[in-house]
Amino acid sequence: MSAQQPGYSRRREIASRRREHAVIRAAGECFSQYGFRKATTAEIARRAGVSKGLVFHFYGDKKALFRAVIENSLENWTLLSDFRASETGNSALAELQ
């Protein structure tokens, strides 16, 4: 039975990351559409296909979730600018300008 445990744990971790990514994506959509004040955690959870409790489990409150969305967006911009810079030979900063 212990031989199955590492595989099981890995699958749970992957599923958890997928749900967390779905929450970030749904939150980004809701914040973009409604703004911070009018976006609700209930709507974010519905769009992500998770419970509202799981949203709070991952982030604690709406402000922390908003920060996570911003950080995720910045990471994506950084990755994109680094990728484009590697293709063009420019600096990543030049790609952002």
Side-chain angles (χ1 to χ4, degrees):
M1 191 132 137
S2 63
Q4 293 176 335
Q5 192 65 10
Y8 175 75
S9 296
R10 180 75 176 133
R11 285 190 304 274
R12 282 185 56 131
E13 181 182 329
I14 290 169
S16 180
R17 286 185 184 176
R18 284 183 182 155
R19 286 190 299 268
E20 191 170 0
H21 182 73
V23 170
I24 289 286
R25 187 173 48 245
E29 292 170 3
C30 286
F31 291 138
S32 294
Q33 185 174 356
Y34 302 115
F36 178 80
R37 289 184 188 266
K38 291 185 180 178
T40 65
T41 52
E43 177 62 14
I44 291 167
R46 186 191 69 75
R47 288 187 186 197
V50 301
S51 70
K52 193 169 134 179
L54 189 61
V55 173
F56 287 109
H57 171 75
F58 283 143
Y59 298 101
D61 61 23
K62 193 165 83 168
K63 190 182 282 188
L65 176 56
F66 185 75
R67 276 193 301 271
V69 168
I70 297 299
E71 288 171 2
N72 182 265
S73 297
L74 290 173
E75 287 173 14
N76 288 338
W77 273 99
T78 300
L79 287 171
L80 179 62
S81 65
D82 287 347
F83 175 74
R84 290 198 40 137
S86 71
E87 286 188 327
T88 63
N90 293 333
S91 72
L93 183 60
E95 288 301 323
L96 288 173
Q97 295 174 346

